Amino acid sequence: AASTPPTTPSSFVTTASISGSFNVGTGEVYTSLTNAGGAFAGINGAAVTGNIVLNITTDLTAETGLNALNQFASPFTVTINPVVAARTISGALASAALIKLNGADRVTINGSIGGAGTDKSLTITNTSITSPTAIALISLGTGAGANTNTIKNCNISTGVSAATGFGIAVGGTTPGLNGADNDNVTIQNNTITIATTPIYAIGTAAVSAGGNDNLVITGNTVTTNTTIQNFGIQVGNGLKSSISQNTVSV
């Protein structure tokens, strides 16, 4: 005799896995980093099962910043670097960051071609003139910062703001707000121009629960907005931090 099916049958959701190397650019599987259907959306919507490399193969000049990169499975990494030639990632996003690491850990943005040297062959620009930020590392709360992330060998800029704007902001959900426990962050060998505050990195407390542990800012060349002269490098509540060999000018 036929069995009676359960009134509340079990259901399962199958999630695709993702790992490996992917090209990002015109004509590629991913045509953008941050737009709908872009690489960040692809990673966010899948189970990360291995290290990921995103090779920027063409200029990405229409980024919307729609998708941040969210947390993904440990201990895997995401690396972003240009290949073959120098590349540009740009778009106009007011009062927000174009590239956002939303509590994401173990991400490296390396502007060297193929990630192999110290050449600055990746330009990242938020062209908005209204409180623009190029890159933001975002804490999701105490003990839930964007950890072990590196930004190096890049040219970073904004479209200039009369009041506020950041090249790289390490903090909270809004650029310029403090954020807890964005630990083990390295900002190295970048040229950051046309930004009211080129580098901002402030924790929420001068203690391990809330402070930014092991922050390294080294070898960068930064130029502040000449209209509104603000900080070249603004750091606070950093524990065991190192700030060295940076050049700051107006």
Side-chain angles (χ1 to χ4, degrees):
S3 61
T4 302
T7 56
T8 56
S10 300
S11 61
F12 302 91
V13 176
T14 302
T15 301
S17 63
I18 187 171
S19 65
S21 182
F22 300 88
N23 290 343
V24 182
T26 303
E28 307 288 3
V29 172
Y30 294 122
T31 59
S32 73
L33 276 181
T34 67
N35 300 351
F40 285 179
I43 295 170
N44 293 342
V48 175
T49 57
N51 296 338
I52 295 172
V53 178
L54 301 178
N55 299 305
I56 309 303
T57 62
T58 68
D59 291 343
L60 307 175
T61 57
E63 294 292 318
T64 63
L66 177 66
N67 291 283
L69 181 60
N70 297 331
Q71 290 180 314
F72 51 88
S74 177
F76 305 118
T77 64
V78 171
T79 301
I80 302 169
N81 56 242
V83 292
V84 181
R87 308 298 184 192
T88 294
I89 300 172
S90 64
L93 186 62
S95 304
L98 191 66
I99 295 178
K100 299 179 285 288
L101 305 184
N102 189 38
D105 303 330
R106 303 173 306 282
V107 178
T108 296
I109 302 175
N110 186 348
S112 174
I113 293 175
T118 58
D119 53 293
K120 300 177 185 179
S121 298
L122 183 63
T123 297
I124 301 172
T125 304
N126 185 344
T127 60
S128 173
I129 61 172
T130 305
S131 300
T133 298
I135 302 172
L137 277 58
I138 298 168
S139 170
L140 302 180
T142 302
N147 296 322
T148 318
N149 295 311
T150 297
I151 303 168
K152 64 181 181 179
N153 305 326
C154 293
N155 301 303
I156 298 169
S157 65
T158 69
V160 182
S161 171
T164 185
F166 303 91
I168 300 171
V170 181
T173 54
T174 300
L177 294 182
N178 301 355
D181 296 316
N182 290 309
D183 299 331
N184 304 307
V185 170
T186 298
I187 301 171
Q188 179 179 351
N189 192 41
N190 302 287
T191 296
I192 308 175
T193 59
I194 318 179
T196 310
T197 302
I199 299 174
Y200 171 99
I202 299 184
T204 57
V207 294
S208 57
N212 293 334
D213 299 341
N214 306 314
L215 172 69
V216 175
I217 301 175
T218 185
N220 301 283
T221 300
V222 302
T223 305
T224 62
N225 182 352
T226 56
T227 303
I228 304 292
Q229 296 180 16
N230 207 339
F231 301 99
I233 299 174
Q234 185 178 5
V235 173
N237 295 329
L239 307 174
K240 299 179 182 179
S241 297
S242 174
I243 302 172
S244 65
Q245 298 180 319
N246 300 285
T247 300
V248 180
S249 63
V250 175

